[in-house]
Amino acid sequence: MTPGARLKDEIYRLEGVSFFYGSSPAVKNMSFRVERGERIAIIGANGSGKSTLLKILDCLIPPSAGIISFLGERLAGDDLKGGLGRRFRESVSFVFAEPDVQLFSPTVFDELAFGPLQLGLSGDEVKTRVEELLDFLGISGLKDRPPYALSSGEKKKVAIASVLAVNPDVLLLDEPTNGLDPRSQVWLYELIEGLKNLKTFIIATHDLSMVEDLAERAIVLDEGHGMAADGPSREILRNKDLLLRANIIHEHAHRHGGVIHIHSHGPFSTHDEHE
Amino acid sequence: MPVWLKEAKARRGGEGAFKSEAFVEKTLDNISSFMKVVFDGAEYAGKNGLLQSLEPKVRIIGIFFLVFAAALAGKALSLLAVIFFAIVLALLSGVEVLKLLKRVMPALIFTSIIISPVFFSFVTPGSAVLKAWGMAVTKEGLETGVFIIARVGVMAGFTALLLLTTGQSDLLKGMRGLVPAVFITALFMTFRYTLILLRTAEDSALARKSRTITGTNLRDSQGWFATRVGFILKKTVSTADEVTLAMVSRGFTGRMNSFEGRRLHGKDFMFIGLTSFALILSAGL
Ligand SMILES: Nc1ncnc2c1ncn2[C@@H]1O[C@H](COP(=O)(O)OP(=O)(O)O)[C@@H](O)[C@H]1O
Ligand SMILES: [Mg+2]
């Protein structure tokens, strides 16, 4: 395949994308493609550039260098005001790591209605849609509550619901399991599993169990803000050296029945390595 | 592991061990409770009442007329009539008069202090009713002063009624078409940023409190607060940036769309009719 050719179901194409905050790099020379329906985990240590990459993918910050295109159209940051803007915002949604950043409406209902209203749906359409979504996600009980007064797990659910309300094709999730209790975590897993093949997921995380369960493909960012690997997540999760180098897992002393041996552990290691 | 890390701390005793730190906490508490009243004080919005049943725009315009009627009321009788109107309106909207008084109290106290010279003979000459330390309170001064205070009280009362019965989204919705969209957006963003600022300040104070072992004195607290202001502002700006990005991500392009207002009913027209009548009356009398 030639580098310029577009795949039939290509959503994103990045070519040499970099981003600098002032003079310090946050994302360096990344190139990859995303196809419709893929579930991709972006894994990397804190500060490796995951959130910045997601913001570039959501066209919130324009790359300092390189090219990003969406459905074959080049995104250039400023021209998002017009037709592409609306179409893009309808198609791509971003769930921020910190739900407080995202939630601002007086009630959960208004929160879910915000997106569809901005995109110009009629009042009645929006109302029906919001009711159905609340019901589907099992959070109808929160409908009239103010988002700031919810627990962090509930906030996260509302944040996710608020972007699903615009029925996007692509969901960018930044550390979605952070601050979730086990039951909410299951809720999220089931939701992502239920939307498999219907939506494209790009998930920034360092929760390796999530990578294993929910993403077929993984992109590893190293601590120098570059791409260390891109491939099937099963293979990447087995590549201990790679994960160690990217500071995603670490060597750790463990004691098993009086025998001390060194092996690696991620924050949510699934204990595969206990051989 | 160092030994000291294993020692338990939660023991009884020690003077002031669990005393709270008054200054910073109180200040923040005051600020945030004030902001909550302004931005988020619509405790009666969900009730079934007269004001709540009116279309938001009608509610805002009507209240606006009434505030003006109070401002223009030149005679005791017309002012009394407006006060009566306010009380009836509160009762019909399920707002207790006591609650309303509580909201109005700060404005009353503030006005009383500001205008206090009016009571005395050196500003308002007339027949003295009370003499103390060589100054005299005059009858005319009392009349003028009480009149001004009552007037401000009613104006504040109407505003409080509006805020108590109208949620943020209805307020913004109601203002659409009355003021340019850009002001509404600006107002809304101001709400948001102020709340972020407050939350950052609160978190920052809490974080300090949790690290404070002995009680600190007022001067320390104030000094800490001064040095933290820089940090808090910086943090607020970066959070505010994220907030803006999050809104853009959800399709916000600089003007807010909200549910369209509902069609106007007979009740709405009656309210506008009555309130504009009150305005004309008090302007004429
Ligand atoms: N608003 C910002 N201003 C300046 N530097 C930033 C900003 N946001 C992130 N950075 C820096 O960019 C790098 C990548 O950050 P980020 O994308 O948030 O990483 P991750 O999400 O993987 O933790 C880090 O070194 C971080 O300090
Ligand atoms: Mg991040």
Side-chain angles (χ1 to χ4, degrees), chain B residues 3-19 213:
Chain B
V3 181
W4 51 264
L5 201 53
K6 297 179 184 167
E7 269 171 30
K9 274 289 161 46
R11 273 193 230 108
R12 214 174 269 275
E15 203 175 315
F18 297 110
K19 260 218 193 110
I213 297 170

Side-chain angles (χ1 to χ4, degrees), chain A residues 55 58 60 89 94 96 100-104 106 109-111 113-115 117-118 123 126-127 148 162, chain B residues 36 40 168-169 188 192 199 239 242-243 245-253 255-260:
Chain A
K55 282 177 193 161
D58 198 29
L60 294 173
R89 296 288 167 224
F94 188 176
F96 282 67
D100 277 326
V101 156
Q102 201 167 341
L103 306 176
F104 50 80
F109 183 90
D110 290 304
E111 197 65 69
F114 178 84
L117 282 172
Q118 300 320 301
V126 173
K127 276 184 192 133
Y148 68 81
S162 72
Chain B
K36 281 193 187 118
D40 190 37
Q168 192 192 352
S169 58
F188 174 79
R192 294 221 57 199
R199 197 177 297 151
T239 313
E242 288 264 298
V243 164
L245 288 185
M247 292 183 69
V248 171
S249 170
R250 287 169 67 189
F252 175 71
T253 51
R255 54 162 306 165
M256 310 267 301
N257 289 346
S258 58
F259 291 109
E260 286 127 42

Side-chain angles (χ1 to χ4, degrees), chain B residues 106-145:
Chain B
L108 288 183
I109 293 171
F110 184 72
T111 319
S112 310
I113 294 170
I114 298 281
I115 66 145
S116 57
V118 166
F119 292 111
F120 296 97
S121 57
F122 60 86
V123 175
T124 326
S127 51
V129 286
L130 195 100
K131 273 191 183 149
W133 302 293
M135 294 195 293
V137 175
T138 63
K139 183 167 168 279
E140 288 76 4
L142 265 182
E143 279 172 10
T144 316

Side-chain angles (χ1 to χ4, degrees), chain A residues 46-47 49-52 97 174-175 204:
Chain A
N46 281 335
K50 303 183 294 294
S51 300
T52 307
D174 197 355
E175 316 230 3

Side-chain angles (χ1 to χ4, degrees), chain A residues 112-129:
Chain A
L112 269 56
F114 178 84
L117 282 172
Q118 300 320 301
L119 296 171
L121 266 69
S122 81
D124 286 341
E125 268 178 291
V126 173
K127 276 184 192 133
T128 322
R129 184 180 274 207

